Amino acid sequence: MPKGRGVPSIMKIIIAGAGAVGTHLAKMLSDERHDIVLIDEGEERLANLESNFDLMTLVARPTSIGSLKDAGATDADLFIAVTPEESTNITSCILARSLGAKKTVARIDNYEYLQPKNKEFFKNLGVDSLIYPEMLAAKEIADGLHLSWIRQWWEFSGGALVMLGVKLRDNALILNIPIYQLQKEHPYHIVTIKRQGETIIPGGADVLQAGDIVYFMTSKRSLPYIRKITGKEDHSTIRNIMIMGGSRIAMRATQLVSDAMTVKVIESDYNRCHWFTDMVDDNVMVINGDGRDYELLSEEGISEVDAFVALTDNSETNILACLSAKRMGVFKTIAEVENIDYIGMAESLDIGAVINKKKIAASYIYQLLLDADVENVKCLTFANADVAEFVVKENARVTRTLVKDINLPKGATIGGLVRGDEGILVTGDTQIQAGDHVVVFCLTSMIKRIEKYFN
């Protein structure tokens, strides 16, 4: 039987796999007082988790029917399988669903399974949702390479609205001016600010400072204006990309970037170079070598590179490589930083954008916990904040009054909405309607408190 003792909570959730993604999910969900059982075959991976977090652990094989019963699959609200083995995840989800679990999620590494035509097939088997963390991370990298001057990019409702995170320098035109003045008759909303380790959901009287990472909600047609006021007009268009590390994330990212971009991948393992070459198009150049070697980087033309992406399995290596690339003149750098404790350090070192597949995967899974109709949930990597796209239900609380009278909890704000195909930046006098897609920004772990406004 699982060891430990749970407390009354919102949902009963079983997580199979105490690797990086599973452990992060277990910690995050236990902080919200969900009833969590974490299953893994390796006792050492479960050590200390139960004593340090409000969850139960079970040393067992996730494909064992007896073990799943012991974990409580017969009345689980959500079963999440995120072991390294795709077949184990799919099998354990099928078994858990047949035992009575209400909803199941399986981590996979086969892109074919994600195609819409296969969704119903897996649902009939008992797997409600499939998650491919490496693909989600690759998409975020590709989105980040869309523009050289942004830290983070996200589109809502097919691009009707966009969110972008930008780091302000001394040359920004919007410093030290109250936000209510900046946003008066201008085509954007400032929805979140990250300042020296603090996340701020700003009010009208707040001002922006050099060094802030500022998250804007706007439309695509307003991007040139945002670029101008943030002082980023000198950043070049990204054409040439260099990637260090031939990982699955790197492979998927090269497949997602624009055909107008040229990509070089540097990988130290000779056999992996061959694997990578077989997996990507002929226009991707794969080089066997050490991406930390200055001489090699110079020989491969890093002085001509517009973006450098570090995707090895070592966070420290990725951070240092991006710092080196910056010193060698690269404008845009992206580092995969899987050690969450290092994300703050990476931001303080100003290495550029940061990718963390644990946070990306957690955002995707988190929306499955909500009762409201939620299209997307995203964690802002640098800021301790989340953004969610709610679909407003008939007679929901937000439809009964103007935005200025909704009284969302402190630490939350509405960034915009999409009505039909039109993106709208809301004001206090906006009236939200049923069917609107409303984008809400809030401090981390507040989404569950906010969903009741949209039901």
Side-chain angles (χ1 to χ4, degrees):
M1 291 292 291
K3 301 177 298 178
R5 190 169 182 175
V7 296
S9 55
I10 300 170
M11 295 181 73
K12 182 173 183 178
I13 302 169
I14 301 171
I15 301 172
V21 174
T23 301
H24 176 70
L25 273 170
K27 291 176 181 177
M28 180 189 76
L29 296 173
S30 68
D31 285 344
E32 297 187 13
R33 301 183 68 81
H34 291 292
D35 185 2
I36 306 297
V37 179
L38 182 59
I39 305 173
D40 198 279
E41 292 185 72
E43 189 169 2
E44 68 282 355
R45 285 193 289 272
L46 297 174
N48 300 321
L49 280 172
E50 190 173 65
S51 57
N52 293 325
F53 298 94
D54 186 14
L55 53 83
M56 296 187 289
T57 62
L58 176 63
V59 180
R61 191 160 43 90
T63 54
S64 163
I65 294 175
S67 296
L68 291 176
K69 288 181 177 178
D70 288 344
T74 53
D75 61 350
D77 295 295
L78 180 62
F79 181 88
I80 305 168
V82 286
T83 77
E85 297 297 326
E86 178 181 77
S87 58
T88 297
N89 296 334
I90 292 173
T91 301
S92 61
C93 280
I94 293 170
L95 293 174
R97 187 59 183 272
S98 68
L99 288 171
K102 295 182 181 65
K103 193 179 291 185
T104 62
V105 185
R107 177 182 181 170
I108 60 167
D109 55 23
N110 187 332
Y111 180 62
E112 181 186 11
Y113 293 170
L114 293 177
Q115 294 179 12
K117 64 181 181 180
N118 294 324
K119 183 175 181 179
E120 196 63 31
F121 170 76
F122 281 101
K123 206 167 184 64
N124 290 336
L125 287 177
V127 186
D128 296 297
S129 296
L130 299 170
I131 181 169
Y132 188 173
E134 288 77 13
M135 177 59 81
L136 294 173
K139 187 178 185 310
E140 189 147 319
I141 290 167
D143 288 344
L145 293 170
H146 183 69
L147 297 170
S148 62
W149 50 279
I150 64 167
R151 292 293 178 94
Q152 203 162 8
W153 168 273
W154 200 27
E155 297 185 8
F156 301 91
S157 297
L161 285 175
V162 296
M163 180 209 74
L164 57 153
V166 184
K167 183 152 189 174
L168 302 185
R169 309 293 182 180
D170 291 328
N171 64 336
L173 305 179
I174 52 177
L175 302 179
N176 304 313
I177 302 171
I179 287 175
Y180 77 88
Q181 290 186 22
L182 293 175
Q183 294 183 162
K184 194 180 295 183
E185 298 181 4
H186 289 302
Y188 62 84
H189 277 173
I190 295 168
V191 289
T192 306
I193 302 167
K194 180 64 181 293
R195 177 179 297 156
Q196 296 178 351
E198 180 185 6
T199 298
I200 302 167
I201 303 294
D206 286 306
V207 298
L208 304 177
Q209 302 175 10
D212 287 351
I213 296 178
V214 181
Y215 291 89
F216 296 85
M217 177 68 70
T218 189
S219 63
K220 287 184 177 179
R221 65 178 175 271
S222 300
L223 291 177
Y225 180 75
I226 303 291
R227 184 173 185 174
K228 177 181 178 181
I229 63 175
T230 54
K232 304 293 183 178
E233 290 184 300
D234 60 338
H235 283 237
S236 60
T237 301
I238 294 176
R239 299 293 184 203
N240 301 307
I241 303 166
M242 185 176 287
I243 298 177
M244 183 177 80
S247 64
R248 286 183 179 273
I249 295 176
M251 183 263 290
R252 292 300 181 189
T254 61
Q255 295 172 338
L256 293 173
V257 298
S258 167
D259 292 338
M261 298 176 180
T262 61
V263 182
K264 283 185 179 179
V265 178
I266 301 176
E267 167 58 47
S268 58
D269 184 278
Y270 183 78
N271 291 328
R272 194 156 191 83
C273 284
H274 277 283
W275 169 82
F276 202 98
T277 302
D278 291 340
M279 298 299 293
V280 298
D281 294 338
D282 293 340
N283 60 348
V284 177
M285 183 179 294
V286 182
I287 299 157
N288 181 220
D290 189 341
R292 298 168 297 182
D293 185 336
Y294 285 5
E295 187 174 334
L296 174 64
L297 293 178
S298 297
E299 288 176 1
E300 295 302 331
I302 195 167
S303 60
E304 305 299 321
V305 165
D306 303 308
F308 180 87
V309 186
L311 299 175
T312 75
D313 57 5
N314 186 290
S315 297
E316 297 96 320
T317 297
N318 294 339
I319 291 170
L320 292 172
C322 284
L323 283 173
S324 298
K326 285 264 188 185
R327 284 198 294 268
M328 298 174 86
V330 180
F331 257 124
K332 175 84 174 184
T333 57
I334 301 175
E336 181 185 359
V337 181
E338 290 305 326
N339 187 327
I340 290 177
D341 294 335
Y342 288 173
I343 291 177
M345 177 185 71
E347 196 280 318
S348 66
L349 292 172
D350 198 21
I351 67 162
V354 165
I355 297 295
N356 181 287
K357 69 173 181 284
K358 293 193 289 287
K359 283 197 166 193
I360 296 169
S363 295
Y364 179 88
I365 292 173
Y366 192 88
Q367 72 190 73
L368 301 175
L369 309 181
L370 302 174
D371 296 323
D373 189 354
V374 182
E375 290 286 308
N376 288 297
V377 175
K378 187 178 183 67
C379 173
L380 305 183
T381 308
F382 280 130
N384 298 319
D386 297 318
V387 53
E389 181 182 351
F390 289 95
V391 181
V392 181
K393 293 182 180 178
E394 200 75 41
N395 298 318
R397 190 185 303 188
V398 292
T399 65
R400 301 172 195 165
T401 184
L402 299 178
V403 165
K404 62 185 176 184
D405 298 320
I406 291 174
N407 294 321
L408 287 176
K410 185 177 180 181
T413 185
I414 295 174
L417 64 84
V418 179
R419 182 172 296 156
D421 295 326
E422 182 187 3
I424 300 170
L425 296 175
V426 302
T427 68
D429 294 323
T430 299
Q431 177 70 60
I432 295 173
Q433 301 176 11
D436 288 347
H437 289 232
V438 178
V439 181
V440 178
F441 291 76
C442 62
L443 297 177
T444 298
S445 300
M446 284 187 64
I447 292 177
K448 196 71 180 164
R449 292 169 54 193
I450 293 167
E451 66 170 345
K452 62 186 177 183
Y453 290 82
F454 297 90
N455 279 335

